[in-house]
Amino acid sequence: MPSALIEKSFRTKRLPHIWCPGCGHGILMRDVAQAIENCGLDPDKVVIVSGIGCSSRAAGYMNYNTLHTTHGRAIAFATGVKLANPDLHVIVITGDGDCTAIGGNHLIHACRRNIDLTVVVFNNNIYGMTGGQYSPTTPHGEKGTTAPYGNIDYNFDIPKLAEAAGATYTARGTAYHAPQMIKLIEAGIKNKGFSLIEGLSVCPTYYGRKNKKGSAIKMYNWQKDNCVDVKKAEKMTAEELEGKIIIGEMSHSEKPEYTDMYKEIIKKCGGDK
Amino acid sequence: MENNKKLVINPAWCKGCGICAEFCPKKVLQVIHEKVQAVNEEACIKCGLCELRCPDYAIYIEKEGE
Ligand SMILES: Cc1ncc(C[n+]2csc(CCOP(=O)(O)OP(=O)(O)O)c2C)c(N)n1
Ligand code: SF4
Ligand code: SF4
Ligand code: SF4
């Protein structure tokens, strides 16, 4: 018998999931379920939308309305679902490749509209499913199967990108810091507008192996030792922050939401009669 | 300790990654032959950190009456 949360939130007949031993995606997927539970959402009103990738397999395991779409298009499908029925809580689970490479344009335009979606990016810094190609979040200098001598691209800072494009809630958490990650997703769900929560995942199989990061355990210890909460970071010097990753709520603002504004337009045109 | 809570392990779902054991504050857990075991269960404080960090939902704290 699994725990009450797992029994309620997952299609337990499909567990254990296919993710590798130690993969951070399992921890982050549980965080999403716990956040939905903590927000007290009616499961019938929750829609999980994903694209393609290891991370996007989450939609197959979660016991809500789920939509497993095509690579990079999760946010586009989610936009359609939300516009068709604004009463639904639409949560997108996507990978760094799915969200910021092939799906990068959908991401920035959904941010720009401030449509009420909660996007949780499982960022493992690589394309896991297809064998370890570098992604837009592979750190500069790190390796992938397509960057055997080191990646010369600079990586995206996803929350910053989303904030600049117009998202009204942005945050970064990690698989290691699960209690905080749950709270960040909760805040994202509660924000009436576009929310982006980056969850730093761990891919021991490809990112770890290609970059000699050691075991899964070593990679979680790295998150533990190198992530600094944004409140603590404010009191640290640039020197002390060198090589560190800042986690916590990155931005939160208010602005009219897209489906609300759309309803207003319909009303103005007499379409609600 | 809280008597109405119990540590539960589901070996069928455990993939032996050892994350729960590494970060257990009381060193209760150990991976033996690729499955986790509670080798020092008396020391468990039922903090639930193993449950939060198990990628496979194979370990958790059960509350009585649930
Ligand atoms: C249109 C299209 N292009 C390419 C692919 C191949 N493909 C499948 S998953 C993937 C990348 C997945 O990476 P990411 O989104 O970071 O997820 P991860 O597997 O790392 O969790 C790619 C390129 C595809 N399925 N469809
Ligand atoms: S390849 Fe990487 S991301 Fe995919 S399941 Fe394995 S560890 Fe996880
Ligand atoms: S509940 Fe806490 S003390 Fe008990 S095994 Fe899990 S992590 Fe260790
Ligand atoms: S974290 Fe989960 S899967 Fe990994 S050893 Fe512990 S119980 Fe097993």
Side-chain angles (χ1 to χ4, degrees):
Chain A
M1 256 302 266
S3 73
L5 176 79
I6 300 303
E7 189 68 39
K8 179 177 172 188
S9 317
F10 292 92
R11 296 170 181 149
T12 51
K13 278 201 205 93
R14 306 191 67 182
L15 295 174
H17 51 63
I18 57 150
W19 293 323
C20 307
C23 174
H25 291 357
I27 304 175
L28 295 169
M29 180 167 77
R30 186 189 180 284
D31 294 343
V32 174
Q34 183 74 69
I36 291 171
E37 182 67 17
N38 293 357
C39 287
L41 304 186
D42 172 0
D44 284 342
K45 293 231 151 137
V46 174
V47 188
I48 306 286
V49 186
S50 72
I52 297 292
C54 294
S55 34
S56 293
R57 298 287 300 230
Y61 300 117
M62 300 188 80
N63 194 22
Y64 307 91
N65 304 289
T66 57
L67 199 56
H68 193 174
T69 73
T70 54
H71 194 34
R73 314 298 171 211
I75 291 175
F77 279 86
T79 299
V81 171
K82 184 72 187 178
L83 263 176
N85 189 348
D87 292 338
L88 297 173
H89 304 282
V90 185
I91 299 170
V92 174
I93 296 181
T94 172
D96 43 300
D98 197 63
C99 185
T100 68
I102 188 168
N105 230 28
H106 295 301
L107 169 69
I108 56 175
H109 291 285
C111 290
R112 182 169 68 83
R113 297 185 182 114
N114 192 35
I115 184 162
D116 187 18
L117 304 177
T118 305
V119 176
V120 185
V121 191
F122 293 5
N123 179 8
N124 55 8
N125 308 102
I126 209 151
Y127 289 0
M129 179 165 269
T130 45
Q133 296 80 5
Y134 67 87
S135 86
T137 62
T138 304
H140 183 75
E142 296 273 82
K143 293 188 174 116
T145 45
T146 44
Y149 308 110
N151 172 29
I152 59 170
D153 292 3
Y154 292 100
N155 59 283
F156 272 141
D157 177 327
I158 309 178
K160 235 184 208 169
L161 173 70
E163 183 190 354
T168 43
Y169 179 86
T170 64
R172 178 184 296 116
T174 85
Y176 175 80
H177 301 84
Q180 178 192 43
M181 186 66 197
I182 294 166
K183 288 204 185 92
L184 296 172
I185 301 170
E186 269 181 67
I189 290 172
K190 287 178 186 152
N191 175 48
K192 175 88 176 144
F194 193 94
S195 306
L196 184 133
I197 304 99
E198 174 183 27
L200 296 179
S201 193
V202 161
C203 171
T205 304
Y206 288 112
Y207 186 73
R209 211 159 57 197
K210 286 274 158 221
N211 291 290
K212 300 196 168 51
K213 302 283 180 196
S215 65
I217 290 176
K218 248 188 143 167
M219 294 175 79
Y220 287 97
N221 271 303
W222 188 91
Q223 290 192 341
K224 175 175 169 238
D225 298 336
N226 292 284
C227 293
V228 181
D229 192 83
V230 62
K231 297 224 172 66
K232 194 174 161 203
E234 278 164 14
K235 296 181 199 105
M236 289 166 71
T237 63
E239 237 164 46
E240 290 169 326
L241 284 171
E242 182 72 32
K244 302 286 183 206
I245 292 183
I246 300 178
I247 55 173
E249 184 179 300
M250 298 294 150
S251 71
H252 200 173
S253 58
E254 263 182 54
K255 162 165 100 173
E257 189 271 334
Y258 193 72
T259 60
D260 281 349
M261 293 188 290
Y262 188 72
K263 265 185 232 159
E264 282 307 309
I265 290 284
I266 298 294
K267 234 197 249 165
K268 232 189 222 167
C269 305
D272 59 332
K273 300 211 174 79
Chain B
M1 270 330 103
E2 296 189 55
N3 298 324
N4 62 338
K5 291 184 176 175
K6 200 174 99 198
L7 180 70
V8 185
I9 294 172
N10 176 1
W13 285 5
C14 173
K15 291 179 186 162
C17 67
I19 297 167
C20 56
E22 172 76 6
F23 298 110
C24 167
K26 296 291 168 187
K27 301 286 161 239
V28 173
L29 308 164
Q30 202 180 316
V31 176
I32 301 168
H33 301 306
E34 299 189 353
K35 297 282 174 189
V36 79
Q37 289 182 26
V39 291
N40 185 18
E41 201 169 341
E42 314 75 62
C44 173
I45 51 167
K46 317 284 188 325
C47 64
L49 285 173
C50 49
E51 176 175 359
L52 278 172
R53 296 206 183 97
C54 171
D56 280 278
Y57 323 133
I59 189 165
Y60 63 95
I61 301 296
E62 189 176 69
K63 290 176 202 87
E64 212 105 288
E66 262 184 23

